[in-house]
Amino acid sequence: MIFYLHRCDEAVLAFTWKLKEPNEIVAFIALNIIDCCMKNCELLFPRAVRKCLMDEIVYIAIAATKGADAEVLAQILIQEWGMKYKGDVTMPLFSDVYANLKSKGISFPSSNKRPSLSRSMLTTPGTVSSSSMNASKQHAAKFEWSSTSVKTEQ
């Protein structure tokens, strides 16, 4: 159980960094994956969520810097989690954040306005040329080493 909780902590930190990226598609996809983790890992993932991740989600929900889809999704997630964990003394973060935003006059859209992932968000616009792949392989080859080339002291 501790192993899985440690993995959840690592995921929370990774998601926090992904939400800080300027690309709005990255933020939107990260929010969707976070939501999947919250729904599918009900015992461990919500307990691993820290204030740093919630702060990033709140920032997306109120600052309107990551695009309309990410903003609406962040608001919906805050509301869903706040209502789901209301009264849960083991995880007050979700209901506290939701109540705090409501008290500041932040409005929350209904869940049926939830934006969805589109196919174009998940595909990469460009491809890597074979010449740049060859250059990358040559560059990587410069840094390869074998265990036989390392001298050990005895």
Side-chain angles (χ1 to χ4, degrees):
M1 175 106 154
I2 292 173
F3 172 77
Y4 294 116
L5 189 56
H6 176 67
R7 293 291 183 211
C8 289
D9 288 337
E10 290 175 356
V12 166
L13 291 175
F15 288 135
T16 302
W17 283 106
K18 284 297 175 188
L19 292 177
K20 290 180 180 185
E21 287 191 18
N23 187 327
E24 62 189 53
I25 294 172
V26 171
F28 184 69
I29 292 171
L31 287 169
N32 277 283
I33 297 171
I34 293 165
D35 186 35
C36 287
C37 292
M38 289 289 288
K39 289 177 179 173
N40 294 305
C41 306
E42 286 194 33
L43 295 176
L44 295 176
F45 192 81
R47 283 180 169 73
V49 171
R50 302 288 177 252
K51 187 174 180 320
C52 61
L53 179 63
M54 285 303 292
D55 287 346
E56 289 302 318
I57 295 172
V58 167
Y59 180 75
I60 291 169
I62 63 176
T65 59
K66 302 285 183 172
D69 286 344
E71 178 183 355
V72 169
L73 182 56
Q75 292 168 350
I76 288 171
L77 295 179
I78 291 168
Q79 182 178 31
E80 285 178 357
W81 301 338
M83 293 169 69
K84 180 177 180 175
Y85 294 104
K86 184 177 183 177
D88 187 338
V89 294
T90 62
M91 291 183 280
L93 177 64
F94 304 106
S95 57
D96 289 351
V97 167
Y98 177 58
N100 186 18
L101 292 176
K102 275 187 81 169
S103 72
K104 292 181 178 178
I106 304 295
S107 61
F108 292 89
S110 66
S111 291
N112 65 356
K113 296 190 183 217
R114 180 187 204 102
S116 60
L117 286 168
S118 69
R119 186 174 203 73
S120 63
M121 288 181 182
L122 300 175
T123 57
T124 358
T127 58
V128 179
S129 69
S130 62
S131 62
S132 65
M133 286 294 287
N134 288 336
S136 293
K137 286 178 184 176
Q138 289 172 353
H139 181 71
K142 290 179 186 176
F143 297 100
E144 285 185 23
W145 59 276
S146 70
S147 59
T148 58
S149 66
V150 178
K151 294 183 181 177
T152 57
E153 292 184 29
Q154 295 191 12

